[in-house]
């Protein structure tokens, strides 16, 4: 069985602060994909990143960065110099890469509020 | 532009009534999914379909039904058996191609009980 835990229910920061959203996962699969999605107030989830389980390189995209550590089963997401437009609910998700039905499992989400 | 269209954006259900949520995609994706979102609960899978004329129950299928007669369409019916239907419903699709695993989402339908 797969499980994704986002322990932080809500985070509140002031603009320009750095913020890290935690994601811890459990899986018995040897190969899998990890994802982050952003859900702004409009409701539609937007894909941010996909990481393969065999690729532990960290990734940076502008103000966003992701730290994947297989040893601790974590896939944390950091926003540097946060902005009000970053306010949203962020979901971490896990999906097997082979076998089974390829159904993704989502965490409960972390609501990020960035104050001006 | 390719994408997923959900309608209506807001829907109200009376006691004992069945209602149907529409989901249409023009991405040529084989797999489609329905999720239910409640505050603080994350996304829970209701039904999914990996190919036309086939669908499988997700974690919370009771009180819901679906059909997949066309690749582009995956409507969800919330039946009167679903006693607590108030939630935000999201439809998604995915392709096994280059973007394997990535889900594309619609903008959702908020269902409320009158």
């Amino acid at each position: 069985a797969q499980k994704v835990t986002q322990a932080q229910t809500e985070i509140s920061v002031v603009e320009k602060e750095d913020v890290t959203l935690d994601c811890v996962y459990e899986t018995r699969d040897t190969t899998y994909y990890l994802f982050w999605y952003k859900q702004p107030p409009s409701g539609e989830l937007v894909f941010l990143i996909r990481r393969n389980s065999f690729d532990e390189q960290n990734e940076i995209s502008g103000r966003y960065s992701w730290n994947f550590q297989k040893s601790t089963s974590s896939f944390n997401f950091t926003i540097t110099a946060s902005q009000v437009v970053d306010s949203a609910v962020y979901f971490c998700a896990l999906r097997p890469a082979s076998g089974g039905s390829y159904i993704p499992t989502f965490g409960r989400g972390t609501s990020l509020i960035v104050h001006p | 532009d390719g994408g997923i269209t959900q309608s209506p954006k807001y829907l109200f259900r009376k006691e004992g009534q069945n209602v149907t949520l529409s989901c249409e995609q023009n991405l040529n994706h084989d797999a489609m999914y329905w999720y239910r979102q409640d505050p603080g609960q994350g996304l829970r899978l209701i039904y999914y379909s990996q190919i036309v004329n086939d669908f499988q129950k997700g974690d919370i299928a009771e009180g819901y039904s679906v059909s997949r007669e066309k690749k582009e369409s995956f409507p969800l019916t919330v039946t009167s058996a679903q006693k607590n239907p108030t939630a935000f419903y999201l439809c998604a699709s995915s392709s096994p191609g280059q973007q394997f695993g990535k889900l594309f989402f619609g903008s959702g339908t908020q269902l409320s009980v009158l």
Side-chain angles (χ1 to χ4, degrees):
Chain A
Q2 299 178 127
K3 186 178 179 181
V4 176
T5 301
Q6 294 181 255
Q8 303 151 308
T9 304
E10 183 177 297
I11 300 175
S12 183
V13 299
V14 177
E15 207 168 20
K16 297 185 183 177
E17 282 186 40
D18 298 347
V19 57
T20 295
L21 283 61
D22 298 332
C23 174
V24 175
Y25 62 91
E26 298 174 28
T27 182
R28 293 179 181 173
D29 295 297
T30 53
T31 56
Y32 48 88
Y33 293 100
L34 292 162
F35 303 82
W36 275 96
Y37 290 87
K38 174 181 179 180
Q39 185 181 37
S42 60
E44 180 177 340
L45 271 76
V46 177
F47 168 84
L48 294 178
I49 189 172
R50 179 185 64 207
R51 172 62 68 210
N52 301 328
S53 55
F54 48 85
D55 179 5
E56 290 192 64
Q57 279 192 336
N58 292 328
E59 183 157 339
I60 297 174
S61 176
R63 296 183 297 106
Y64 295 172
S65 63
W66 291 268
N67 184 313
F68 176 33
Q69 293 198 335
K70 210 167 180 178
S71 59
T72 57
S73 297
S74 65
F75 186 43
N76 297 337
F77 172 31
T78 297
I79 301 174
T80 302
S82 59
Q83 300 176 1
V84 172
V85 293
D86 295 326
S87 296
V89 181
Y90 291 86
F91 291 95
C92 181
L94 166 71
R95 173 173 171 154
S98 62
S101 58
Y102 306 106
I103 302 301
T105 298
F106 284 83
R108 294 193 170 194
T110 296
S111 177
L112 174 64
I113 303 169
V114 182
H115 300 280
Chain B
D1 286 339
I4 298 181
T5 302
Q6 287 188 243
S7 62
K9 192 167 180 64
Y10 300 97
L11 186 59
F12 297 91
R13 193 191 89 166
K14 294 180 181 178
E15 199 76 33
Q17 185 182 42
N18 292 353
V19 292
T20 298
L21 285 61
S22 171
C23 178
E24 302 279 331
Q25 55 103 354
N26 60 4
L27 300 166
N28 200 34
H29 285 171
D30 289 311
M32 297 187 74
Y33 311 80
W34 273 106
Y35 287 93
R36 169 175 170 147
Q37 184 177 16
D38 296 278
Q41 294 292 318
L43 301 179
R44 293 185 290 171
L45 183 66
I46 306 172
Y47 269 97
Y48 65 98
S49 168
Q50 300 206 341
I51 197 168
V52 175
N53 293 322
D54 184 58
F55 49 83
Q56 304 296 329
K57 291 182 179 180
D59 300 319
I60 55 166
E62 186 174 346
Y64 300 96
S65 66
V66 293
S67 63
R68 187 84 188 277
E69 297 175 0
K70 298 187 300 181
K71 190 175 187 178
E72 306 80 30
S73 180
F74 191 41
L76 173 74
T77 296
V78 184
T79 74
S80 56
Q82 174 49 248
K83 298 306 179 188
N84 184 23
T86 297
F88 189 60
Y89 292 85
L90 284 158
C91 179
S93 69
S94 69
S95 167
Q98 283 190 343
Q99 299 182 36
F100 182 74
K102 173 182 173 182
L103 292 179
F104 294 77
F105 285 86
S107 55
T109 293
Q110 176 64 51
L111 175 62
S112 303
V113 177
L114 287 176

